[in-house]
Amino acid sequence: MFCVLVLIVHATGFSFFLNILSGRSWTRADVRSAMFKIYVGTIFSSIAISMFAIAFALQQNPETGHFMPMFMLVSASIFATMNNHHFPPVLATRLAIYVSAILFIPIHALFITSAPLNSDVWLHFFTVIFVLGFLVELAREFIAKYNHSLKIRLDLEREHQQTKAAYIAKTEFLGTVSHELRTPLTSIKG
């Protein structure tokens, strides 16, 4: 059931994507509509993936760990970090949903088993906390690199505009000098 839900949500997200790409004009309302579609797709997609992983985890023995659902959620988080870093609020929304699901699974296992502190269930919980720290650092690093790349790009665009302006000024100067020198030379020749 959750596999079908994930497929439906991703197909809907893909149709949103195609709809956004087909936009010809980008008025303020168009941008607002596109961002709304991105947020809706992000929320539904991450909730569907999280529900799938949680349903998978609830079917497992809590004392043996939840490697596969955690792997799915961590992989989805890393993928989101790599591909949503240019929209920090969208990334934050997606990661908040994934982190909630990642935390729910071991906390639920701790609650169900009432395991002592020296058990494997607690070890799994602390491992999850460590991995979450890794995900936060990864997201921070991708955003920092994206912002650095964006700054470099904007600097290059500004330098390109300055170079174009200098080239236009040089061309106009040479045209004016050529014209001003040609007029007296023509009358001298005449």
Side-chain angles (χ1 to χ4, degrees), residues 78-93:
I78 292 171
F79 184 79
T81 301
M82 292 183 334
N83 294 298
N84 293 135
H85 59 274
H86 43 278
F87 290 124
V90 174
L91 175 60
T93 302

Side-chain angles (χ1 to χ4, degrees), residues 153-181:
R153 183 174 156 248
L154 292 174
D155 289 346
L156 285 173
E157 286 178 5
R158 189 178 66 252
E159 288 177 19
H160 177 69
Q161 292 300 325
Q162 290 172 347
T163 304
K164 263 181 25 180
Y167 178 75
I168 290 170
K170 179 192 88 163
T171 305
E172 288 176 358
F173 174 75
L174 288 177
T176 303
V177 167
S178 173
H179 175 71
E180 293 298 324
L181 288 176

Side-chain angles (χ1 to χ4, degrees), residues 10-47:
H10 279 84
T12 304
F14 186 69
S15 73
F16 283 169
F17 174 72
L18 291 177
N19 187 311
I20 290 169
L21 284 181
S22 69
R24 298 290 178 227
S25 67
W26 286 103
T27 64
R28 188 177 291 257
D30 293 331
V31 171
R32 204 172 301 124
S33 171
M35 286 308 296
F36 177 76
K37 289 174 185 174
I38 289 171
Y39 273 108
V40 167
T42 295
I43 290 169
F44 285 148
S45 169
S46 52
I47 287 175

Side-chain angles (χ1 to χ4, degrees), residues 47-164:
I47 287 175
I49 291 169
S50 296
M51 287 174 52
F52 177 72
I54 289 171
F56 194 114
L58 293 178
Q59 294 175 8
Q60 295 178 323
N61 181 358
E63 293 179 6
T64 59
H66 302 289
F67 176 77
M68 188 52 100
M70 289 302 204
F71 178 75
M72 287 188 294
L73 289 169
V74 169
S75 298
S77 299
I78 292 171
F79 184 79
T81 301
M82 292 183 334
N83 294 298
N84 293 135
H85 59 274
H86 43 278
F87 290 124
V90 174
L91 175 60
T93 302
R94 187 175 288 276
L95 287 180
I97 294 169
Y98 288 152
V99 166
S100 299
I102 288 170
L103 284 173
F104 173 80
I105 293 171
I107 290 172
H108 180 265
L110 286 171
F111 182 74
I112 294 297
T113 61
S114 300
L117 190 56
N118 62 351
S119 69
D120 285 345
V121 178
W122 278 98
L123 178 64
H124 295 157
F125 175 73
F126 290 125
T127 303
V128 164
I129 298 299
F130 175 78
V131 169
L132 288 177
F134 167 74
L135 288 176
V136 168
E137 181 61 24
L138 184 65
R140 189 193 65 74
E141 196 64 32
F142 267 105
I143 289 172
K145 285 182 180 176
Y146 174 75
N147 288 337
H148 179 69
S149 297
L150 184 62
K151 181 185 175 304
I152 289 172
R153 183 174 156 248
L154 292 174
D155 289 346
L156 285 173
E157 286 178 5
R158 189 178 66 252
E159 288 177 19
H160 177 69
Q161 292 300 325
Q162 290 172 347
T163 304
K164 263 181 25 180

